[in-house]
Amino acid sequence: MPVRHGTRRSDIPFDWERPETWAASLQDIKTAYVAYSPDLAVPSAHSVIAEFVQAAEQSGLRRVVLLSERNEARAQACEQLIMNSSLEWTVLRPSWFMQNFSEGGFLDGVMSGEVSAPDSGFPEPWVDLEDVADIAVAALLDEGHTGEVYEITGPELLTWQEAVSLVADVTGREVSYRTVTPGEFESTLIAEGFPEPDAQFVATLVAEILDGKNASTSDGLQRALGREPGSFAAFAKNAHAAGSWQ
């Protein structure tokens, strides 16, 4: 399928902070996968998504698949803007990505031997991003997904300690887990180069997400594709085989 990438560096650039780039990026496009950066929970996201919906309708866009998140009121307010539009829509609400350990924010922790997060002790239904991607593709290309909200999780609940232990077992590395306060997590982000307001927002958001409200599995993948989601153990084995932690 012909695909137009929409990033600040693509041939036809798309920049969330520059609405004047949107029209050219959307021209002659009928279907779009939308992932708002930095996060739909950012206070400014609502007005940006509202403006994007107008631009999408004016461009002739027919279908949008929106990457959202579970149990986050600000993200769900942005979803509502899509739902109230003239567009065909599908909303994806995944849980925390397993790939955070192999290519995301916790990779450095794995490599240095200690992962830390402001969790509240509740387990998480970690999801393989490959499963999220499979639903996104189906919703973009196939009929039967319009008007659906898919909560996408893995098949099991694992604590952070259990998830980190699985990575350690597969890699043979000594990797420990430590629960930190939101303030400590914020300080870590600042030390890694985050501007202080961004670090404060991210630390607060992560603590909110990890407060236990998402400590349940869901059947989004089963409803969308009729198969079971991949396990964390399988993810870790595949990521290790691909050289993610070398």
Side-chain angles (χ1 to χ4, degrees):
M1 299 293 293
V3 175
R4 176 179 296 164
H5 296 283
T7 74
R8 287 171 292 182
R9 298 179 180 85
S10 53
D11 292 339
I12 301 177
F14 180 97
D15 188 337
W16 283 114
E17 297 179 358
R18 297 176 59 214
E20 65 272 16
T21 66
W22 300 352
S25 189
L26 290 168
Q27 185 176 359
D28 299 324
I29 295 294
K30 297 303 179 186
T31 306
Y33 176 72
V34 177
Y36 179 74
S37 179
D39 195 282
L40 285 178
V42 174
S44 60
H46 192 270
S47 60
V48 176
I49 296 299
E51 190 173 356
F52 173 79
V53 168
Q54 291 184 342
E57 290 176 322
Q58 292 170 2
S59 74
L61 188 74
R62 181 171 62 89
R63 177 181 298 178
V64 62
V65 178
L66 177 69
L67 179 67
S68 186
E69 53 201 276
R70 299 177 85 200
N71 294 316
E72 214 303 310
R74 289 163 295 195
Q76 265 119 67
C78 292
E79 294 174 9
Q80 202 62 49
L81 296 169
I82 302 285
M83 294 174 180
N84 293 340
S85 73
S86 62
L87 304 170
E88 297 177 11
W89 57 265
T90 305
V91 172
L92 312 184
R93 294 179 184 168
S95 54
W96 274 67
F97 304 148
M98 298 173 185
Q99 278 78 359
N100 275 310
F101 292 102
S102 62
E103 58 188 90
F106 298 103
L107 173 59
D108 288 345
V110 172
M111 300 304 287
S112 67
E114 182 182 84
V115 174
S116 60
D119 82 293
S120 54
F122 289 93
E124 285 291 312
W126 306 89
V127 68
D128 191 331
L129 252 178
E130 296 294 338
D131 288 337
V132 180
D134 285 348
I135 296 182
V137 170
L140 287 166
L141 302 183
D142 302 335
E143 301 303 321
H145 301 283
T146 298
E148 294 286 351
V149 176
Y150 292 123
E151 288 207 0
I152 315 164
T153 72
E156 62 201 337
L157 291 169
L158 295 173
T159 65
W160 281 73
Q161 180 62 63
E162 290 170 333
V164 170
S165 294
L166 282 169
V167 173
D169 290 345
V170 166
T171 61
R173 291 177 171 273
E174 292 187 7
V175 188
S176 62
Y177 175 71
R178 181 167 64 96
T179 298
V180 296
T181 67
E184 290 174 315
F185 192 61
E186 178 183 338
S187 297
T188 299
L189 294 173
I190 292 173
E192 292 175 354
F194 276 66
E196 187 169 343
D198 293 348
Q200 184 178 31
F201 171 79
V202 170
T204 301
L205 178 63
V206 169
E208 288 177 0
I209 293 172
L210 298 178
D211 66 1
K213 61 177 172 284
N214 291 317
S216 62
T217 58
S218 189
D219 63 351
L221 184 72
Q222 294 90 326
R223 288 198 299 114
L225 302 181
R227 65 171 175 81
E228 294 300 310
S231 68
F232 197 101
F235 149 75
K237 180 180 179 180
N238 292 334
H240 180 56
S244 297
W245 297 300
Q246 291 182 2

